[in-house]
Amino acid sequence: MKFYLDTANLASIKKYNAMGLVDGITTNPSLIVKEGADFEETIKAIAKEVYPHPVSAEVIATDYDGMIREGLTLAAIAENVTVKVPLTWDGIRACRTLSQQGHKVNVTLCFDSNQALLAAKAGATFISPFIGRLDDIGYDGMEVLEDIRTVYDNYPSLKTEILAASMRTPLHVKRASMIGADVATMPAALIKSLTRHPLTDAGLASFLADWKKTGQTIA
Ligand code: E4P
């Protein structure tokens, strides 16, 4: 499973990229606002930092013509920019057009496998089911992820990658990888938290305590 960072924070992207942990980046309007910088400049800098990995940049328009216009502007920022469009009727139309023109498209705000099927038929490069937001309202985000995996596997001609989004917990990561999501996009803190286990901490503490008794050092 590929790891994407779900952030527009360049410092954090640089840090994780240097560790070889970044296979791509996703952003959305809320993440861009958080950084308080110019949208296109931010995407340009991120795209350069992680090149050739993909960087999703989202359109703001909600109508087809506007999405195409903005999508082309975003795609022109860098070769590795993926245009992100919402899963609406106009978004699906825009996905079709942009994909046919050879642009990569990430269809976002997906909450159901029928939506994912439609996006794949429209040529989406990625479909982004939002796991955490489904859990937030009492649905089972992982069940939707599983449904999408099943549907896509039923029809091998569909080439869309499943990009599990709105990931909040290590359990989301574990289950997404077992279900076979192609990609999981995560905040940096979630990636870091994957190292944590109480038995690792306890084991390390006891090894260090024992080592101290030797009075030795490793040069
Ligand atoms: C994905 O592309 C979205 O940016 C993101 O995963 C949304 O996550 P949230 O529900 O935590 O805002």
Side-chain angles (χ1 to χ4, degrees), residues 6 26-28 31 56 58 84 106 108 128 130 132-133 136 163-168 185-187:
D6 197 25
T26 51
T27 67
N28 63 37
L31 293 171
S56 287
E58 190 162 342
K84 208 173 177 188
N106 176 354
T108 189
S128 292
F130 277 33
R133 291 192 195 190
D136 287 346
L163 194 166
S166 188
M167 303 281 277
R168 307 266 173 81
T185 190
M186 297 171 264

Side-chain angles (χ1 to χ4, degrees), residues 59-118:
V59 299
I60 303 304
T62 54
D63 65 297
Y64 170 81
D65 291 331
M67 285 188 204
I68 297 296
R69 194 184 58 252
E70 291 180 4
L72 292 176
T73 301
L74 296 175
I77 293 176
E79 186 184 319
N80 53 331
V81 167
T82 296
V83 180
K84 208 173 177 188
V85 299
L87 211 155
T88 58
W89 188 249
D90 283 41
I92 291 295
R93 284 181 63 210
C95 171
R96 178 95 189 143
T97 303
L98 291 166
S99 308
Q100 278 179 334
Q101 290 177 6
H103 301 294
K104 287 191 169 172
V105 181
N106 176 354
V107 179
T108 189
L109 291 168
C110 171
F111 297 95
D112 182 78
S113 63
N114 278 343
Q115 292 181 314
L117 177 58
L118 204 54

